[in-house]
Amino acid sequence: MATTNKILLIVNPISGDRDKDKMIEEIREHVQQRDMQLVVHKTDGNNDAEKITQSIKETNPARLLVAGGDGTVKMVAELLEDQQLPLGIIPAGSANGLATNLGIQGDMEKLVEIALDDHFIIMDILLLNDTVSLHIADLGLNAALIKNYEDSRIRGKLGYMLSAIPTLSKTEYPFTFEIEANGQKTTEEGILLAIANANSFGTGANINPTGKVNDGQFEVLVFKKLDFIEIAKTLYGEVEMDPEFVSMVRTKEATITSAKEIAFQIDGEYMGESNHVKVKLSDKKLKVAVPRS
């Protein structure tokens, strides 16, 4: 463990729409008020993992802060698997699903207070075909929506809404999923299969109300039909979910297969199409600063 007073801030300059230079100065001011020194590392899309690893080694920080969206947090988490270095999240992406699930919200002063506090959660890490997932991954309509959103020039929730139109019109659904978990095989037909370590998407849709990020398990949920009333319920946080709309399996390991390749995303990042996803809990955990209840 580091014994320095240095805080290393990893910033994704192009995530979200917040002015990152202004944000950095706000964070620096709050860090200095705590008699600590801020070291800033900006990602540039070129060998970021290698450069961040080197920055961590050179800085030997007492804590690591990440300012970006789910993808940036995920990238950094992959580098911290073998370390006990605490992680503080400053949500600054177009979607901040993990931060939302952990209750990390507020103005910059509040966000820095949470990120530097000594109140932590020890999060589970999932491995999907050996790729880290902290939040929610899925196969089906939502992943196709993310692909269309990434191809769009319009950012934010409006971009997601506009991307829904071509997604629904061009995607052939429902899909057939075979799920092997807890020693059993089941076949389910649906529009989306979610692999959930957390409760909700960055949009606020609560698809996994009983899940916990630190319970040593994850949930596999199959949403069976395009029911706009039930979807609206998830957006408003209603937790009672109709079994005719969604099925759920809680497990520590699962294999999902399909006859044809389906759009696949992990933590908001489109991964291409896949017809085979092997999921398991990583032996590693992630130490994340969270608000006090």
Side-chain angles (χ1 to χ4, degrees):
M1 294 293 291
T3 58
T4 71
N5 70 338
K6 292 181 180 179
I7 302 295
L8 178 59
L9 172 64
I10 308 297
V11 180
N12 182 343
I14 64 171
S15 64
D17 55 7
R18 177 177 284 184
D19 184 334
K20 298 303 188 303
D21 289 333
K22 181 180 178 181
M23 182 191 68
I24 289 169
E25 291 312 308
E26 288 183 76
I27 295 173
R28 189 187 307 279
E29 180 180 341
H30 291 302
V31 167
Q32 289 176 343
Q33 288 174 359
R34 291 164 172 78
D35 294 323
M36 306 184 84
Q37 178 185 350
L38 186 70
V39 179
V40 178
H41 178 112
K42 293 183 180 181
T43 62
D44 59 13
N46 184 23
N47 296 324
D48 282 324
E50 182 179 336
K51 292 176 181 177
I52 291 170
T53 299
Q54 186 63 28
S55 288
I56 294 172
K57 182 178 180 181
E58 293 175 353
T59 306
N60 188 30
R63 187 162 307 190
L64 190 62
L65 305 188
V66 178
D70 288 331
T72 309
V73 176
K74 174 178 169 292
M75 176 183 65
V76 173
E78 290 180 296
L79 306 177
L80 296 181
E81 282 192 89
D82 296 319
Q83 301 187 41
Q84 292 299 309
L85 184 61
L87 178 67
I89 299 173
I90 307 292
S94 55
N96 304 290
L98 181 60
T100 300
N101 275 265
L102 296 177
I104 300 172
Q105 55 190 344
D107 58 19
M108 188 55 62
E109 182 175 4
K110 181 61 177 178
L111 292 174
V112 176
E113 178 184 328
I114 294 169
L116 297 182
D117 196 7
D118 290 328
H119 187 253
F120 304 105
I121 191 169
I122 308 300
M123 276 189 57
D124 295 325
I125 295 175
L126 303 187
L127 295 175
L128 282 65
N129 294 344
D130 294 323
T131 297
V132 163
S133 175
L134 302 176
H135 182 220
I136 298 176
D138 59 67
L139 292 147
L141 276 186
N142 184 62
L145 172 59
I146 287 175
K147 178 184 184 298
N148 287 332
Y149 172 75
E150 288 181 353
D151 292 340
S152 169
R153 294 182 179 181
I154 303 174
R155 301 290 90 184
K157 291 186 177 181
L158 176 60
Y160 279 109
M161 290 174 62
L162 294 177
S163 297
I165 299 170
T167 300
L168 293 174
S169 64
K170 295 180 181 179
T171 305
E172 294 183 7
Y173 59 87
F175 311 101
T176 301
F177 305 101
E178 184 176 273
I179 305 163
E180 183 175 354
N182 301 324
Q184 296 183 328
K185 284 186 178 182
T186 58
T187 300
E188 297 275 6
E189 188 174 87
I191 62 169
L192 182 155
L193 180 146
I195 302 157
N197 190 38
N199 304 116
S200 59
F201 288 119
T203 57
N206 188 352
I207 66 162
N208 185 32
T210 61
K212 296 181 179 179
V213 298
N214 61 342
D215 62 357
Q217 302 178 96
F218 60 91
E219 289 72 41
V220 179
L221 305 105
V222 177
F223 293 82
K224 300 179 182 181
K225 55 187 177 180
L226 195 61
D227 187 323
F228 290 103
I229 293 176
E230 292 296 328
I231 291 171
K233 288 180 180 180
T234 70
L235 291 171
Y236 288 97
E238 296 188 22
V239 298
E240 187 175 336
M241 302 182 77
D242 188 341
E244 293 186 3
F245 172 60
V246 59
S247 66
M248 188 267 282
V249 174
R250 181 170 287 120
T251 185
K252 295 183 177 182
E253 190 169 344
T255 301
I256 296 109
T257 56
S258 60
K260 64 178 182 178
E261 293 195 331
I262 302 170
F264 178 41
Q265 70 88 16
I266 297 178
D267 294 358
E269 180 183 358
Y270 182 65
M271 306 297 291
E273 295 184 337
S274 180
N275 63 356
H276 184 275
V277 180
K278 186 171 180 59
V279 192
K280 64 179 181 179
L281 287 165
S282 172
D283 294 332
K284 309 300 181 182
K285 304 285 184 179
L286 188 65
K287 187 176 183 179
V288 184
V290 295
R292 294 178 183 271
S293 56

